[in-house]
Amino acid sequence: MKFSLNWLKEYVTISITTEELVNKLVMAGHEVEEIIELGHELKNVIAGKIISIEKHPDADKLVITQISDGTTDHQIVTGANNINVGDIVPVAIPGAVLHKGFKIKASKLRGVPSNGMLCSETELGLAESSNGIWILDKETPVGVDFIAYASIQDTILDVSILPNRGDCQSVYGLARELSVVLNTPLKKLETTLTLTDSSSTLSFSNEGKEFCDRYTGRIIRNIKKVDTPLKIKRFLQGMGVGSINMVVDITNYVLLETGQPLHAFDLSHVNGHDVSCKKANAKEKITGLDSKTYELSTEDYVIAINGKAQAVAGLIGGNESSVNESTADIFLEAANFFPVSIRKAQQRHGLRTESSIRFEKGTDIEAVERASERAAHLYQKYAGAVVESLTIDYKKEGVSSSSSIKFAYKDINQLIGLNLSNQDIDNPLIKLGFEIENDRVFVPSWRVRDCIDWPCLAEEVLRINGFDGVPSVLPLETVIPSKKERKRELRDLISDFMISNGFNQVVSFPMISPKVAVNQDLVIKNPISLEASVMRVDIQPELLRITEHNLKRQQENLKLFEVGKGFSLVNNQPKDTVFCEGICTGALFGKSYQKNVSKIKGDDYFIIKGLLLACLKQTGFNLEFLSEEDVDESELIESSLKNKGDDSNSYIPGKHTYLTVNKKVIGEFGILHPNFLDTYDISDEVAYFKLNISVLAKLNVEVATYRPFSKFPSTRRDIALVIPKSLAFEKIERFVESNKPRTLKKTFIFDVFESEKIGSENRSLGLAFVYQNDKKTLEDKDVNRAHDKLSEKLLKEFNLSTR
Amino acid sequence: MKTQLESIQKFSHDSILGAKTSIDLDLVKSRTLGKSSDFNGLMKMLATIPKEERPEMGKLINTVKNELEILINKKQKDLLKSERESSLATQKIDSSLPGVEFPVGTKHPITQTIERITEILGRIGFDTKEGTEIETDFYNFEALNIKEDHPARDMHDTFYLNTDHVLRTHTSPAQIHEMESNSPPIKIIVPGQVFRCDSDVTHSPVFHQIEGLYVNKKVSFAELKGTLSFFINELFGTTPIRFRPSYFPFTEPSSEIDVQCVMCQGKGCNVCGHTGWLEILGAGMVNREVFKSVGYNPDEVQGFAFGVGVERIAMLMHGINDIRLFYENDRRFLEQF
Ligand SMILES: [Zn+2]
């Protein structure tokens, strides 16, 4: 909220610099977001009286004026046509500086000397545009320093008012804070009035007991058609409110000044009628002051005259009964409404007004009458109005403006961690308007919604005394941290492995576009954009989007991973799952002139397969692989690897495998299908993997048990098998495993190739068998016997030949 | 015969020393010691000399033969060494050519910052826990004393899901979960993603916070101040900090904590909005209403809570000026950390 420093100075003396003041405000909890200097460049502008206007001999559109400053006359040539002899106008004399640094010096216009310039509001930086020269009030003292006289120079502080400090949403409210912070007295609001008895009796009925605590109405007559006083105009303008006419300007002025919203009805619409605060009729329509039509519901509270809504209570006045240029008699409303209802009404109608933003944070019930008097005082002072005493003075039964809190000094000291004397606690509270009686504190009417429990008193003491005096103490109590959550431990281990192996960790949003979402089980009702409106089931879409982003920017040979969450709906309850997912494109080692290195593909199926095996081994798991055909769909669903709406066509056929640990599916990997990648505008080959850390975290890792290894040399025998491509190596592996002699320690592949010679339907597999005995050196004949027997069995089992 | 031996010895000796390559030496070796060598001839001749001279002569021949063998072996080693040297000299590489670029992985700066913070607070006994991103209204607001239609809800531009849930607007719901499932003393921090429907250069709809909570029988604001001062000093060094009053519905008294702007050292710049200070923490004493909502007796327990914005700190530490860089994940960005 914007505050005019000049206006604040009406109520408190401020003798420190703006910088010091801002610091004081910030340290009292009122953050200053911006400091705006108004008119500070202006110089040498006076109020001058036009003595004569003569035609310019050589220019039709110019006139020569003589301007008096009370002692001397100044000749000024101007093109203005809205001036008359006798008018008082702002005059920039030579040496003057106007808005945007525009300098004025003596000159000649078409041969006639001109010593200055007559000013419009625009030239003084007070309006965006204006119709001619600014004609001032006849009472303006001639020759006066106009910049000071019209309070043009001001400093505007944009203060962020905390949600609990509705009492500071007014100039007087902030001045009250300042008087405490600066330790200076707060001036009282001038409200002296000459009252006339109420001329009519208006009935008021409150049909919204839960909504309206207080309602007052006052008739004010014979408001003269006068200009709003310059100072009031300036203050309103400084706080961002435009001047309309005297009647409206005063209601706005008092609203900004006291924080109490006021509404002026044209008296002719109210007089002699019944006023009520009630719920609106369903679909009742009202046209507001903003000329927009609002459709009301039975949730809305209105101020009705003879049953017809004439204002949405606390939100906006109606057009029909509002004041206009010719209004001289008004019915001035000041009331107190229930904040929560106002807040809801704001949301329903998408409207926030100067009134509603104050009501929604709770207004001071004591301010109702004071604000009404203050406005009446101003109408009387500046426009000679006849002010009647309150015609409607309603106060709901049982409504109290004060509350009290039970407290103990020692509790406040203990909570802060200080040892303040009772007086050191009392002083700031008393200055803030609290009253203390033994173990009770009475809260001032403007703080009753905010101060409810005793820690609030500690807060006020801290706020006013400052935080500097509070010692810094480390809590000595030791709370033994629990064991690191297994999920987090695994996440860290796997991340570290990936990073050590050249992967860049990414962090993405869990909300994705419906275009790439497999289902729409969890959708954001109010997304910022459709592109981020569905909760992802896994990280893949974001990983691929990031891959696309990088590839498009010539960032090739990518190795990216993220540890993050996927979200799904299980039995109508959201469930999250932690995944580690990654992608690999291009060469494993990036670009290299070293040919043997540059040949290693990172998007190769077997590279990823080996990487994952190593990763899980380092993490303590024994990874096994399960083909698409052998996997059970229910297991995939259980492991969050398959979701509603998932289709499994995202991989190249045959280049996709599931990962298991202890027979439980924990992930998958493969080479993504080019058709699938089209969605992302990726033409590179992409290897992708996914590990479900939530599932992994539930699996046991056994503590390793030492197994002795043989001290004797091993012997190797090789076989080159020709196998049909349809025969998977794992079948051979499994057969060897279940038929191996005791001395066979290890089997591995040393060569795989395809060639015309062995037939395109075949593949050659070079298998090495390593034999070793734990107790002695194996003799050749023993190795041969065991090996021949095994190979014979193997060839027979699969009907294979050797090469 | 002795003269013959001497001449063979002399000749062989010269040939051995004269061999230029290991292959030459092999030839010399077979000529000197092989089957058809002069030594073999001498051995055969041994039978022709008088019987009593034979032992002495035989011994002499063997001695010479052994000497030559030793000489050959030594010469062979020398030759091999120099041949290897010259062969290696021809294979010389340009050692200034770049090495093979091993892929260098990186940890995301957000993760690094979270780890740095949890490490510091871990040292003074804060245990790291995890929360959930999808929350009910109760945990995100209600239990934290942000009742329906509380004006503070305006500060939380909340994303609502099609279920009865919201995306948590802060990590504070983790306080409620922790207090519901444990009894004091509690000393935890909870890092995680939070969501606000609000986006520009300084605001991202998704960002990271770290929540801290300490609950015990008696806890004072002084302890809050001590904890956060320690934390900030460990993170930024001995930078000036200031506590100023603020408002959060779930704490009372509440405070925001600023560090002196690291960019301008407090002189005022664009980063700090010309205030010289940067807000990095919100904190306060746990509101008694919050204790009531988790079933604690507010007269028996006290506590403090705080929340740190991770991005803000990462941006300050690394001089990052646009929050969106974190989520764009351009490799040229990632590789810098
Ligand atoms: Zn700065």
Side-chain angles (χ1 to χ4, degrees):
Chain A
M1 185 184 163
K2 290 193 170 112
F3 288 91
S4 150
L5 193 56
N6 285 345
W7 199 349
L8 285 166
K9 285 178 178 169
E10 295 276 299
Y11 318 112
V12 277
T13 308
I14 298 170
S15 49
I16 52 177
T17 65
T18 305
E19 202 180 323
E20 286 165 333
L21 178 72
V22 165
N23 189 47
K24 293 247 183 208
L25 279 169
V26 171
M27 295 315 279
H30 307 288
E31 222 180 320
V32 178
E33 291 180 335
E34 205 185 350
I35 303 163
I36 306 152
E37 301 285 8
L38 284 187
H40 280 239
E41 73 274 33
L42 300 183
K43 229 166 76 182
N44 290 354
V45 180
I46 58 159
K49 191 169 188 170
I50 301 172
I51 311 171
S52 69
I53 303 175
E54 283 164 36
K55 280 191 176 160
H56 190 291
D58 294 323
D60 290 346
K61 292 193 173 164
L62 297 178
V63 290
I64 302 161
T65 64
Q66 298 300 327
I67 309 289
S68 164
D69 66 7
T71 49
T72 44
D73 291 355
H74 306 259
Q75 175 171 295
I76 293 171
V77 180
T78 175
N81 52 19
N82 69 325
I83 48 171
N84 292 299
V85 172
D87 282 348
I88 299 174
V89 296
V91 181
I93 52 179
V97 181
L98 300 180
H99 186 47
K100 290 187 175 162
F102 184 64
K103 291 192 177 78
I104 300 297
K105 32 181 209 257
S107 65
K108 277 185 182 171
L109 280 172
R110 290 271 177 117
V112 178
S114 177
N115 297 316
M117 189 171 122
L118 310 186
C119 302
S120 71
E121 285 179 89
T122 317
E123 274 121 20
L124 297 174
L126 300 175
E128 288 295 316
S129 64
S130 38
N131 306 314
I133 302 303
W134 188 5
I135 312 296
L136 302 171
D137 195 277
K138 295 274 179 248
E139 308 297 314
T140 312
V142 173
V144 74
D145 173 356
F146 187 68
I147 298 160
Y149 175 78
S151 302
I152 292 173
Q153 285 178 340
D154 199 355
T155 299
I156 305 298
L157 303 177
D158 192 354
V159 183
S160 144
I161 302 294
L162 293 170
N164 62 325
R165 295 305 303 273
D167 63 298
C168 290
Q169 278 188 303
S170 66
V171 181
Y172 196 72
L174 195 69
R176 188 163 48 205
E177 279 281 297
L178 277 177
S179 80
V180 178
V181 170
L182 302 176
N183 209 7
T184 52
L186 177 70
K187 284 179 200 131
K188 277 216 152 54
L189 281 185
E190 183 59 51
T191 55
T192 47
L193 277 172
T194 308
L195 278 179
T196 309
D197 282 348
S198 183
S199 60
S200 77
T201 47
L202 289 175
S203 74
F204 175 77
S205 62
N206 184 14
E207 293 167 30
K209 287 263 179 342
E210 62 292 328
F211 174 72
C212 175
D213 279 357
R214 180 108 170 86
Y215 192 92
T216 66
R218 183 193 300 278
I219 290 169
I220 299 171
R221 294 179 194 272
N222 302 337
I223 301 170
K224 286 195 195 113
K225 292 272 137 323
V226 289
D227 271 356
T228 305
L230 212 50
K231 193 162 82 177
I232 289 181
K233 269 192 188 172
R234 291 286 74 78
F235 284 175
L236 290 177
Q237 191 185 31
M239 295 184 62
V241 176
S243 169
I244 295 164
N245 58 45
M246 181 70 177
V247 175
V248 176
D249 285 356
I250 294 295
T251 60
N252 284 336
Y253 182 83
V254 175
L255 160 68
L256 294 176
E257 184 183 49
T258 64
Q260 170 63 50
L262 297 173
H263 181 60
F265 294 90
D266 189 303
L267 184 62
S268 61
H269 290 270
V270 186
N271 214 7
H273 303 305
D274 295 330
V275 179
S276 61
C277 175
K278 61 185 270 287
K279 282 190 170 173
N281 300 322
K283 304 211 166 170
E284 186 170 2
K285 288 201 172 74
I286 182 169
T287 303
L289 287 168
D290 56 2
S291 304
K292 285 185 188 141
T293 302
Y294 296 90
E295 186 179 288
L296 306 175
S297 71
T298 53
E299 310 254 303
D300 285 304
Y301 291 92
V302 296
I303 301 304
I305 293 164
N306 281 353
K308 184 169 187 286
Q310 291 296 348
V312 187
L315 195 58
I316 193 164
N319 211 4
E320 191 185 357
S321 56
S322 73
V323 296
N324 55 44
E325 290 306 317
S326 60
T327 302
D329 301 342
I330 61 167
F331 173 77
L332 184 71
E333 168 199 287
N336 187 286
F337 300 129
F338 184 51
V340 172
S341 307
I342 297 289
R343 213 182 119 69
K344 284 181 176 166
Q346 283 187 146
Q347 285 166 348
R348 266 198 309 278
H349 299 295
L351 180 68
R352 287 167 65 81
T353 62
E354 291 289 339
S355 295
S356 69
I357 60 168
R358 289 178 172 79
F359 278 130
E360 76 157 338
K361 286 184 183 165
T363 46
D364 177 5
I365 199 159
E366 296 279 291
V368 171
E369 200 171 344
R370 201 166 52 235
S372 177
E373 283 170 3
R374 173 70 174 162
H377 163 82
L378 295 172
Y379 285 124
Q380 197 161 65
K381 180 175 174 188
Y382 293 112
V386 176
V387 176
E388 298 186 3
S389 53
L390 287 179
T391 307
I392 297 171
D393 185 4
Y394 168 81
K395 193 172 192 176
K396 194 168 81 187
E397 224 172 292
V399 166
S400 162
S401 61
S402 70
S403 62
S404 72
I405 300 170
K406 194 165 183 282
F407 84 110
Y409 290 103
K410 69 165 177 36
D411 288 345
I412 290 179
N413 269 323
Q414 187 276 319
L415 188 66
I416 299 176
L418 273 176
N419 209 354
L420 297 172
S421 66
N422 292 3
Q423 213 185 358
D424 283 341
I425 289 173
D426 289 349
N427 279 343
L429 292 175
I430 290 165
K431 279 193 234 164
L432 285 164
F434 292 83
E435 284 166 34
I436 301 158
E437 266 176 40
N438 306 319
D439 63 347
R440 285 213 161 260
V441 160
F442 291 86
V443 181
S445 61
W446 57 92
R447 296 294 301 272
V448 288
R449 285 178 205 278
D450 162 31
C451 293
I452 293 160
D453 208 348
W454 66 264
C456 165
L457 306 174
E459 180 167 79
E460 293 306 289
V461 169
L462 266 181
R463 207 164 64 78
I464 302 305
N465 289 357
F467 290 94
D468 286 349
V470 180
S472 281
V473 182
L474 275 178
L476 293 176
E477 172 91 27
T478 313
V479 183
I480 296 168
S482 59
K483 193 170 166 284
K484 195 172 182 180
E485 239 179 293
R486 181 68 177 144
K487 249 194 288 190
R488 283 183 42 233
E489 187 178 53
L490 279 179
R491 184 193 66 194
D492 294 351
L493 284 171
I494 292 173
S495 295
D496 285 348
F497 178 90
M498 290 301 164
I499 291 166
S500 313
N501 282 280
F503 280 72
N504 299 114
Q505 186 188 38
V506 301
V507 172
S508 64
F509 291 177
M511 311 100 103
I512 54 171
S513 159
K515 271 184 272 172
V516 293
V518 299
N519 66 45
Q520 306 210 1
D521 278 359
L522 283 164
V523 175
I524 297 169
K525 284 199 279 193
N526 56 332
I528 285 183
S529 75
L530 194 64
E531 292 302 300
S533 62
V534 182
M535 298 305 285
R536 66 184 183 195
V537 297
D538 62 23
I539 311 165
Q540 194 189 54
E542 276 294 279
L543 260 182
L544 292 175
R545 184 192 60 75
I546 293 165
T547 304
E548 180 193 314
H549 169 97
N550 277 290
L551 289 174
K552 278 189 177 161
R553 285 158 185 80
Q554 302 83 46
Q555 300 299 304
E556 289 141 356
N557 307 318
L558 295 167
K559 283 179 291 297
L560 306 172
F561 83 101
E562 175 168 357
V563 179
K565 284 182 179 174
F567 300 87
S568 56
L569 205 53
V570 177
N571 301 326
N572 259 327
Q573 285 303 309
K575 177 192 161 197
D576 58 42
T577 310
V578 181
F579 291 108
C580 172
E581 297 176 43
I583 63 97
C584 229
T585 67
L588 188 65
F589 281 79
K591 284 197 189 92
S592 178
Y593 64 95
Q594 300 273 353
K595 291 201 180 55
N596 48 346
V597 171
S598 64
K599 269 193 300 202
I600 306 173
K601 283 161 86 293
D603 50 26
D604 185 88
Y605 177 90
F606 296 105
I607 291 282
I608 299 299
K609 190 173 184 178
L611 178 93
L612 294 172
L613 189 75
C615 171
L616 273 286
K617 192 172 169 84
Q618 196 168 84
T619 319
F621 296 105
N622 188 13
L623 186 63
E624 288 179 295
F625 301 92
L626 193 60
S627 70
E628 271 178 6
E629 301 84 60
D630 296 338
V631 84
D632 190 27
E633 180 154 333
S634 63
E635 264 195 86
L636 293 182
I637 292 166
E638 198 191 307
S639 302
S640 305
L641 289 173
K642 198 172 174 68
N643 289 279
K644 198 181 98 192
D646 238 349
D647 65 43
S648 47
N649 297 334
S650 45
Y651 296 94
I652 292 175
K655 290 190 174 176
H656 174 213
T657 301
Y658 289 100
L659 307 167
T660 67
V661 169
N662 302 349
K663 304 275 173 254
K664 197 139 181 67
V665 183
I666 56 103
E668 63 181 312
F669 77 101
I671 310 300
L672 294 176
H673 201 293
N675 293 347
F676 174 69
L677 290 175
D678 281 346
T679 324
Y680 295 93
D681 201 5
I682 296 173
S683 52
D684 296 42
E685 191 143 294
V686 178
Y688 161 80
F689 67 86
K690 174 183 191 178
L691 300 171
N692 183 330
I693 293 182
S694 298
V695 174
L696 265 179
K698 290 185 199 136
L699 302 178
N700 289 327
V701 172
E702 276 171 38
V703 177
T705 314
Y706 167 70
R707 289 189 306 268
F709 41 87
S710 173
K711 294 182 190 68
F712 301 95
S714 62
T715 312
R716 171 175 158 178
R717 292 288 182 275
D718 295 350
I719 313 179
L721 292 171
V722 176
I723 64 167
K725 285 182 180 169
S726 57
L727 177 62
F729 169 69
E730 61 179 1
K731 295 228 170 80
I732 294 174
E733 195 183 25
R734 251 180 260 148
F735 180 80
V736 169
E737 184 58 30
S738 51
N739 289 280
K740 67 176 184 188
R742 221 165 23 93
T743 50
L744 182 64
K745 292 288 155 166
K746 202 163 108 185
T747 318
F748 64 89
I749 300 168
F750 63 86
D751 183 37
V752 178
F753 78 89
E754 293 167 20
S755 87
E756 288 296 317
K757 273 188 221 157
I758 57 168
S760 61
E761 73 283 6
N762 290 327
R763 192 176 276 146
S764 166
L765 205 63
L767 267 183
F769 296 83
V770 180
Y771 295 90
Q772 196 178 31
N773 190 307
D774 294 341
K775 298 199 177 66
K776 60 172 188 176
T777 304
L778 274 178
E779 284 182 42
D780 270 0
K781 63 174 176 34
D782 297 330
V783 175
N784 289 346
R785 200 188 309 124
H787 182 68
D788 291 347
K789 201 175 153 196
L790 177 63
S791 28
E792 214 171 286
K793 264 193 195 170
L794 182 62
L795 295 177
K796 204 173 150 206
E797 172 73 18
F798 298 105
N799 195 19
L800 303 176
S801 59
T802 57
R803 201 163 45 79
Chain B
M1 196 175 168
K2 205 168 176 176
T3 39
Q4 216 174 340
L5 177 64
E6 272 166 11
S7 95
I8 291 170
Q9 181 183 16
K10 170 101 182 29
F11 178 76
S12 300
H13 194 265
D14 290 350
S15 337
I16 290 164
L17 293 181
K20 292 275 182 300
T21 67
S22 57
I23 298 165
D24 285 354
L25 189 67
D26 280 345
L27 279 173
V28 172
K29 188 179 175 182
S30 81
R31 221 183 314 135
T32 315
L33 305 169
K35 273 186 187 144
S36 57
S37 66
D38 296 341
F39 268 102
N40 256 3
L42 276 181
M43 289 309 270
K44 279 172 197 152
M45 275 172 70
L46 212 57
T48 65
I49 63 166
K51 209 173 180 178
E52 60 279 7
E53 287 175 23
R54 281 182 209 166
E56 199 190 337
M57 198 58 209
K59 206 174 160 191
L60 198 63
I61 294 170
N62 267 329
T63 311
V64 172
K65 196 180 168 186
N66 284 342
E67 277 172 15
L68 287 173
E69 263 176 15
I70 288 167
L71 191 66
I72 288 170
N73 285 343
K74 187 180 172 290
K75 179 70 183 178
Q76 196 135 39
K77 265 183 199 157
D78 291 347
L79 282 174
L80 280 174
K81 231 186 230 172
S82 67
E83 281 169 18
R84 199 185 271 157
E85 291 298 346
S86 57
S87 135
L88 285 176
T90 61
Q91 295 165 25
K92 205 170 173 195
I93 55 159
D94 176 357
S95 59
S96 69
L97 282 171
V100 170
E101 276 179 43
F102 271 70
V104 179
T106 49
K107 198 173 269 183
H108 197 282
I110 294 284
T111 318
Q112 289 188 31
T113 307
I114 290 175
E115 284 181 3
R116 206 170 287 147
I117 294 169
T118 52
E119 187 273 329
I120 293 169
L121 290 163
R123 272 190 273 139
I124 48 171
F126 283 85
D127 187 11
T128 306
K129 296 278 178 104
E130 294 239 313
T132 49
E133 286 78 0
I134 298 179
E135 282 289 0
T136 58
D137 188 89
F138 175 79
Y139 286 99
N140 197 71
F141 294 119
E142 205 62 35
L144 288 160
N145 195 34
I146 314 171
K147 306 286 185 237
E148 201 200 345
D149 293 301
H150 193 295
R153 285 207 182 190
D154 286 348
M155 303 196 299
H156 298 245
D157 303 295
T158 314
F159 283 118
Y160 294 92
L161 290 179
N162 53 337
T163 53
D164 288 335
H165 298 85
V166 298
L167 294 182
R168 67 172 169 197
T169 57
H170 48 179
T171 41
S172 308
Q175 291 183 28
I176 307 300
H177 290 294
E178 182 68 16
M179 287 192 278
E180 275 183 344
S181 46
N182 289 299
S183 38
I186 287 169
K187 210 172 178 182
I188 58 153
I189 39 177
V190 188
Q193 273 185 337
V194 298
F195 309 85
R196 305 269 174 103
C197 45
D198 178 13
S199 172
D200 59 43
V201 185
T202 49
H203 296 92
S204 162
V206 182
F207 56 101
H208 294 74
Q209 272 186 350
I210 297 181
E211 189 77 9
L213 176 70
Y214 174 52
V215 180
N216 210 333
K217 283 195 197 85
K218 293 274 175 221
V219 178
S220 71
F221 194 91
E223 286 170 294
L224 165 67
K225 197 177 171 186
T227 302
L228 295 182
S229 302
F230 170 81
F231 163 67
I232 293 168
N233 284 337
E234 288 295 302
L235 196 62
F236 291 102
T238 45
T239 316
I241 58 176
R242 71 174 188 191
F243 284 67
R244 59 184 163 77
S246 190
Y247 170 76
F248 305 106
F250 38 95
T251 53
E252 189 170 53
S254 302
S255 175
E256 277 176 307
I257 295 96
D258 301 334
V259 290
Q260 194 182 68
C261 179
V262 292
M263 302 291 171
C264 64
Q265 270 72 45
K267 287 180 204 80
C269 68
N270 279 333
V271 173
C272 58
H274 304 282
T275 61
W277 294 95
L278 294 162
E279 178 192 325
I280 58 157
L281 270 159
M285 304 307 292
V286 178
N287 193 303
R288 288 158 57 88
E289 294 301 313
V290 175
F291 286 138
K292 284 182 208 163
S293 69
V294 296
Y296 287 2
N297 179 348
D299 292 329
E300 287 170 5
V301 292
Q302 288 179 325
F304 65 72
F306 57 89
V308 194
V310 177
E311 278 79 355
R312 184 80 200 250
I313 288 181
M315 287 169 92
L316 292 175
M317 301 210 83
H318 302 292
I320 297 165
N321 54 7
D322 185 344
I323 195 167
R324 290 170 294 202
L325 282 166
F326 290 119
Y327 308 105
E328 204 175 65
N329 293 293
D330 194 300
R331 191 171 57 185
R332 290 162 293 182
F333 173 78
L334 299 174
E335 279 175 346
Q336 297 182 28
F337 305 97

